[in-house]
Amino acid sequence: MRAAVLHEIGQEKLEVLDDVEAVGFGPGRVRIRVRATGLCHSDLSAMNGVLPQPAPFVPGHEGAGEIVEVGEGVSHLKAGDRVVVCWLPACGTCAACKRGQTELCLAGFMNAGTPNFRRPGGDVFGFAGTGTFTEEVVVDAGCAVPIPDDVPFDIAALIGCGVTTGLGAALNTADVEAGSSVAVIGCGGVGISAIQGARLKGAAEIVAVDPVASRREAALEFGATRAVSPDELADAKQQVTAGEGFDYVFEVVGKSATARTAYETTRRGGTLVVVGAGAMDDNLQLNMFELFFDEKRILPSLYGGGDVLRSYERTIALWRAGRVDLDGLITHRVPLSEINEALDQMRTGTSLRTCIEI
């Protein structure tokens, strides 16, 4: 089958090959025919080494498709079922799951070091234990979440990561208060989803911050009340909050420099939500006095900071009701053969989300 493979960490181009085999099928596992997959910035971060990932590997973790076959012991799924790929499934039995923090379950990472694919030249891994830039993938049954028939595959793919992450940061982690002021730093697909979440919660002012003009324009269409470049953020802070700082600031870039800016842009007693996935050696520096004196809440948000399956259901309900715009997030639709052009669009910031149709 065809799959896009990165041979070595640090390479910028993927090679679309037709000699890749999905492996690992057996009890408790399912085989999925991938129909659509989103291109997420985390895929780029894995390719360039910011996020740890063994190579060679097939990127992609934001996918949707149809069940081809189910392994022994899988009773809740059958061939032909339409599903979204959940890259961080909950086991339901660990301490985190029992506390209701299913997004912190580590069960999904147990297979991250096991190859998902094979080529004549050897094993190939799948990013985040999945790898959806391919025609088929084999995953644990818990990674395949059924979706209703009225949800298109491209929309379902976005719900599998970016939309759930951004909406959840505003709805679950921050629980934005109505009438509050919000700034979102980084307005790709996840940042735009955080903006939509803040709008849903009734934020009075939502300032979108991004260096790319087209993303700033898009942010206004999705609910931001104003959009500025990073150089204009200080002026926006003064104009919107009289210099005090925003009630909530979302950092959706994954860099210590922008996290520090976000901290300084948050008012005393306000909330900084860290959404971007950064490198292990990129350290955020805060001094002990400011931590004590400013009393700012620093809240990391992993995969939307709440029960993932419930978040999927909520997002679908909001989409059906017209309360969130998911169709508009997909600014490019391309076949797998054009994956490298799509990667370039994401690097330059000219796309919110690219859907790879397979």
Side-chain angles (χ1 to χ4, degrees):
M1 67 175 187
R2 292 185 308 145
V5 176
L6 186 83
H7 297 287
E8 295 181 4
I9 300 299
Q11 292 180 334
E12 292 192 351
K13 300 294 184 182
L14 298 173
E15 186 176 6
V16 180
L17 305 169
D18 60 6
D19 61 354
V20 181
E21 175 189 2
V23 299
F25 183 74
R29 309 275 282 175
V30 298
R31 186 186 305 275
I32 300 173
R33 171 64 172 93
V34 179
R35 296 296 183 184
T37 180
L39 175 56
C40 179
H41 200 277
S42 294
D43 300 312
L44 291 179
S45 296
M47 290 172 62
N48 62 29
V50 169
L51 297 180
Q53 171 63 47
F57 75 98
V58 174
H61 61 290
E62 198 178 70
E66 299 164 327
I67 298 291
V68 176
E69 59 179 330
V70 302
E72 181 182 350
V74 179
S75 58
H76 68 289
L77 294 167
K78 64 183 184 302
D81 283 353
R82 305 168 78 256
V83 296
V84 60
V85 175
C86 175
W87 61 271
L88 192 60
C91 70
T93 59
C94 71
C97 286
K98 289 179 179 178
R99 287 193 298 265
Q101 294 177 298
T102 57
E103 75 279 9
L104 299 182
C105 178
L106 293 175
F109 288 105
M110 296 301 103
N111 292 318
T114 302
N116 296 62
F117 307 96
R118 182 184 299 120
R119 294 186 60 224
D123 292 332
V124 178
F125 297 91
F127 178 44
T130 57
T132 55
F133 291 176
T134 179
E135 292 179 322
E136 289 188 1
V137 63
V138 172
V139 295
D140 284 340
C143 294
V145 180
I147 55 174
D149 290 342
D150 65 328
V151 181
F153 287 125
D154 54 0
I155 296 298
L158 299 190
I159 293 173
C161 185
V163 169
T164 295
T165 298
L167 278 180
L171 303 181
N172 300 327
T173 306
D175 191 15
V176 172
E177 184 177 352
S180 60
S181 61
V182 171
V184 177
I185 302 177
C187 297
V190 177
I192 291 292
S193 297
I195 287 171
Q196 294 200 75
R199 175 178 54 80
L200 282 169
K201 294 290 287 185
E205 295 280 356
I206 305 173
V207 177
V209 186
D210 199 281
V212 181
S214 61
R215 287 188 172 186
R216 297 197 296 269
E217 294 168 3
L220 294 171
E221 296 175 1
F222 283 93
T225 56
R226 66 176 70 194
V228 300
S229 68
D231 292 341
E232 299 169 322
L233 177 55
D235 288 340
K237 173 184 171 182
Q238 182 63 41
Q239 293 168 11
V240 174
T241 73
E244 181 186 19
F246 294 91
D247 297 315
Y248 303 88
V249 179
F250 295 83
E251 196 279 345
V252 201
V253 179
K255 293 184 179 295
S256 61
T258 47
R260 181 68 214 188
T261 297
Y263 182 88
E264 294 169 355
T265 308
T266 305
R267 68 165 172 82
R268 293 185 67 218
T271 300
L272 162 60
V273 184
V274 179
V275 187
M280 288 187 289
D281 60 354
D282 187 11
N283 298 308
L284 172 63
Q285 292 190 346
L286 300 167
N287 68 62
M288 293 303 295
F289 177 77
E290 64 187 341
L291 274 177
F292 161 77
F293 187 69
D294 291 338
E295 203 179 277
K296 299 178 183 182
R297 296 191 304 161
I298 303 174
L299 302 179
S301 184
L302 175 64
Y303 210 176
D307 180 83
V308 175
L309 300 186
R310 175 69 189 98
S311 294
Y312 288 176
E313 294 172 356
R314 177 179 61 192
T315 300
I316 291 172
L318 290 169
W319 170 74
R320 282 174 172 162
R323 301 290 303 282
V324 296
D325 178 4
L326 304 186
D327 306 77
L329 280 173
I330 304 173
T331 51
H332 296 82
R333 288 177 170 83
V334 301
L336 185 62
S337 59
E338 297 179 15
I339 183 67
N340 285 310
E341 290 84 347
L343 288 169
D344 290 339
Q345 290 169 346
M346 173 159 282
R347 290 189 183 100
T348 58
T350 55
S351 66
L352 295 179
R353 257 307 186 269
T354 295
C355 175
I356 311 298
E357 298 175 334
I358 303 175

